[in-house]
Structures are given as C-alpha cells and as structure tokens.
Amino acid sequence: MVGDSVAAGGGRRPGRFLPAVVVGRWALWRLPRRGQVLYLVVIDVLAVAAAVLAALRFPPLGAMVAPFALLLAGMLVSAELARTVERHREDTLLGPGVDTPWIFAGVLVLRPGLAVTLVALSALHQWFRVRRRPGYRQVFGAAATALAGLIAGAFLTATGVRPLGAVLDPRTVVLLTVAGAVFLAVNAALVTAADGPRRPREALPGHAFDAAMTASALPLAWAVEAAPLLVPLLAGATVVLHRGGLGRGRRDHVTLDPGTGVLTAASWRGAAEAELDRLGRHGPGQAVLLLDLDHFRQLNDRYGVRVGDAVLRAVADTLRDEVRAADLVGRSGGEEFAVLLPGTGRFDALAIAERIRLRVASTLVALKASGDGPQFVGVTVSIGVADCVDGLLADALLAAEAAVLRAKAAGRNRTICAEPGS
C-alpha cells in the first residue's frame, strides 16, 4: 500500500527499491512521539514474523482451498454491498468492520497462513475500494487483527477445538465464544496501546458493534464446513447486521454537538470526506485547521464546568463567525475543534487561522460577580494549519496535529503551518 506517499510527490532516487521509497515517505516517521513510532513498527514486524512461523508450523492443507475461496468471495461481496456505509463508519477498535465475521470465521476453520491471507486481502480491499487511511495505520490495523487472530487460533489449537465438526457440542460452543473474546481483547489491547484509551461512553457502541460482528462469525464458520449453501444467506444477514449496527453511527454524521452547536467529531469527519469527494481529490486547494484551547483544564478546575462550557460555546461562535458558510466546523475533542476550508490554499488558510486566533484571544466570558475575583475570563488557542493534499484528510489531520504540538511547545497562543509534504 502506498498510503502517504501520494502527498510527497517527486521521483525516487535511482537504485532505491520502490517499497523502501514508499515506506520512507509514510507519515509514521513524522509522528511527534518516538515511542509510538517504535511501538507501531514492532507490532508490524511481530505480526509478519508470527504469521510466517505459524504458516511454517501449520502449512495449509489442500482441503482448505475451497473454504478459503468461499470465505474470500463472501467477504468481498459483503464488503461491496456495505461499501457506502462502511466508508463513513466511525472507527472502532476492531478495524475490519464488515469483514470481521469472515476474518474470524477464517481463524476458526483455516490454517494460520490462509487466515492471515484473509486479513491482508481485507486490508487491500479496504484501501482500494472503501477508504484510505494513512498507509502506516492501514498496515498497523491489519497487523493488530492478524496477531489477534493468531492468538485466538493458538487458543483453539491448544484446547483441541479444531477442526470443527458438523455438530457443535456445548463445550465447543463455549470455547469458540472464549476464542472470540480473546480475538476482541487482544486487538483492543494492541490498538489502545497505540492510540490511548477512549472515553467509555464513546467507546461502548463500538465495542458492542465489534462483538456483534465477531459473534456472527460462529454460524458462518459452521456453515462453511457443514452447510456451504447457507453461506449466502448468512452473508446477507451479516450485511443487514452491519447496517443496523451502524444506524446510530450514521445518524451521528448529521448531528450537532449539544454543548457548542458545531458538528460532532463523527459528523465532521463524514461531512469532510464527502466534501472532498464532491470537490475531487485533485481539485482546488483544501486546507484543515486544528485548534486546541490553551490551559483549558486549568480553567475548568479553577472556575468550574459551567464556565468551561460557556468558553467552549464562545469559541464555537467565534469560529462560525470567522469562516464561510461552506466551511465545516466540528468539535474534534474535549477542547479541540477542526475546520475544513474547501478551495483555500495554505497561505490563505494561515491568514484565516491567525484571524481566528486573535479573535478568540479577545473573547471574554462573564463570571458571577464576586468581591475579589475577575468578572470575566478568556482563553487562547493554538492552531495547526495543513494542506489537504490529493484529498487525503487523514494525512492533513496528522500534519495539522503535529503543527499544533509545535505551537504548544513554542509557547501556545500561536498559529503554525505544517510544511508541505509533512
């Protein structure tokens, strides 16, 4: 996969191996935390090594070619049917989404090499047909899923569950359920270690969706072995379950954050992707702003949540006043906002961001009258600006986030523009 290399442009040096050039241009190497970079690389290497060792220890059997082909065909057809929904799905800890039942069914009925091949083909299909994340994230997601599948498969082998029979006794069902829990837990642990924990309230719907997708793999695995003619019926049920499980997430894409009146994070992301698709990936310049309020937690601790909420509303109002009607404003985190500026070049976006920064710095929120404290409180903001090169929103957000961190490190209350190709 050539994730982040598109934005970098330019030719490659003579004599350099093309994959090395591609990997060398990944945004992975520009992440601000070196520990995170090392962790992502270690997981990728570990997944490759584990897959190779498992494939050598348990080589594929000729009898597994037909089940593998059936699972692969079902996965690709299901993914195509759910593509429009999956494209705007809010990310959960388990990356494959609608492919999850087929991948975990492969873990249950195939040897490790073929099961990991399903994971790799799923990642490639997502890259080319569903949605493109930065290349290193796509690879890490596949690596985390592969490792989770290998560990769950090792558990099944150790307990003597495989191969599955035509009749599943209670012990087998229990062990398959435990294997599903292992698959979910390992994947969640690997992803959380890379990105940090999510708020329970925000993460719970995603956990339920991942669990439902994994559970649907159990009848699918049985059907592949015992009743192949039922697989198309179960595939249809999987697509319906996928759409139903995403109903809430899809509605989130057209909702507003109740505290500030701007788009929710999921809503902003979906609307931004749709806008970039509409404008064309190689159309006029697009820019992204990321804004992080300075010392907001201290403000909350000192004056209370009520004042903090009032400050957030004031900043959101300022953003809406300072951008055009066609621009997209969303709340991307507790004290973070994101803005998409369609048809705006880097230097114009920098001027807009600086105007917003000055306006926010002059915005005050009234406090309750007191004898010895300030009657008004304000806040400043650090802003990162980045080009959305070739319509790759994820790359632009990473670059803008790095610019925000530079603004914070430089003393806060300032605007920094990411360098082209960074």
Side-chain angles (χ1 to χ4, degrees):
M1 286 173 287
V2 294
D4 335 50
S5 63
V6 180
R12 64 186 181 98
R13 296 178 184 176
R16 291 190 67 189
F17 188 43
L18 180 59
V21 176
V22 170
V23 173
R25 290 175 176 172
W26 276 0
L28 169 67
W29 315 116
R30 300 188 293 273
L31 292 178
R33 290 184 292 160
R34 297 294 94 185
Q36 185 183 25
V37 174
L38 178 62
Y39 174 78
L40 295 174
V41 172
V42 167
I43 294 301
D44 293 345
V45 173
L46 185 61
V48 172
V52 171
L53 290 175
L56 293 175
R57 175 67 180 82
F58 301 99
L61 302 176
M64 291 183 175
V65 173
F68 172 79
L70 187 57
L71 287 171
L72 176 61
M75 181 180 73
L76 295 179
V77 171
S78 297
E80 285 295 318
L81 292 175
R83 185 162 61 97
T84 55
V85 178
E86 183 75 4
R87 179 171 290 171
H88 299 296
R89 175 173 67 91
E90 186 174 2
D91 289 335
T92 61
L93 292 179
L94 196 56
V98 72
D99 294 346
T100 299
W102 305 93
I103 288 174
F104 188 57
V107 170
L108 299 181
V109 302
L110 300 175
R111 288 289 181 95
L114 292 177
V116 172
T117 301
L118 271 183
V119 175
L121 292 175
S122 167
L124 286 171
H125 182 263
Q126 288 186 4
W127 172 261
F128 287 109
R129 293 289 296 163
V130 183
R131 55 175 175 172
R132 294 191 177 189
R133 300 178 179 88
Y136 77 91
R137 290 298 312 190
Q138 204 97 16
V139 171
F140 172 74
T145 303
L147 280 175
L150 289 171
I151 293 173
F155 168 80
L156 292 172
T157 300
T159 53
V161 172
R162 293 190 295 187
L164 298 181
V167 178
L168 302 181
D169 58 80
R171 175 183 176 274
T172 299
V173 172
V174 170
L175 291 175
L176 291 176
T177 303
V178 173
V182 169
F183 178 71
L184 288 170
V186 171
N187 188 91
L190 293 172
V191 174
T192 300
D195 299 334
R198 302 184 181 187
R199 296 176 181 176
R201 185 176 179 181
E202 296 176 356
L204 186 59
H207 293 334
F209 170 73
D210 289 342
M213 288 283 101
T214 303
S216 64
L218 302 183
L220 196 58
W222 173 84
V224 166
E225 290 282 299
L229 293 179
L230 289 179
V231 171
L233 180 62
L234 292 174
T238 298
V239 173
V240 171
L241 175 63
H242 175 264
R243 289 178 176 272
L246 289 175
R248 179 176 176 181
R250 293 284 292 177
R251 286 192 292 271
D252 285 346
H253 284 283
V254 293
T255 58
L256 301 178
D257 174 62
T260 59
V262 300
L263 295 171
T264 62
S267 181
W268 183 86
R269 186 71 179 248
E273 291 280 9
E275 180 69 7
L276 292 173
D277 284 339
R278 185 185 68 82
L279 293 172
R281 297 289 174 175
H282 303 280
Q286 336 292 339
V288 169
L289 311 182
L290 281 186
L291 304 89
D292 192 299
L293 275 60
D294 299 324
H295 301 301
F296 181 74
R297 292 184 181 177
Q298 290 91 322
L299 183 148
N300 247 349
D301 293 340
R302 181 175 181 181
Y303 298 109
V305 175
R306 184 189 65 81
V307 173
D309 290 344
V311 169
L312 288 172
R313 286 194 296 272
V315 171
D317 291 341
T318 298
L319 285 173
R320 282 193 294 263
D321 291 342
E322 293 295 331
V323 300
R324 305 162 299 182
D327 300 330
L328 297 174
V329 180
R331 185 178 178 185
S332 57
E335 63 267 23
E336 300 170 353
F337 294 87
V339 182
L340 177 69
L341 302 173
T344 305
R346 190 162 64 102
F347 294 107
D348 289 338
L350 183 61
I352 294 170
E354 186 63 9
R355 189 176 71 227
I356 290 171
R357 184 189 67 81
L358 294 173
R359 174 78 184 277
V360 169
S362 65
T363 300
L364 298 175
V365 172
L367 300 173
K368 288 185 177 179
S370 61
D372 54 359
Q375 294 184 335
F376 297 90
V377 65
V379 72
T380 59
V381 65
S382 299
I383 306 178
V385 182
D387 281 322
C388 200
V389 181
D390 291 337
L392 296 177
L393 181 62
D395 285 2
L397 290 173
L398 282 171
E401 183 179 6
V404 169
L405 293 175
R406 289 169 52 203
K408 295 282 189 182
R412 296 181 171 83
N413 189 24
R414 61 194 65 217
T415 301
I416 289 185
C417 188
E419 294 299 323
S422 68

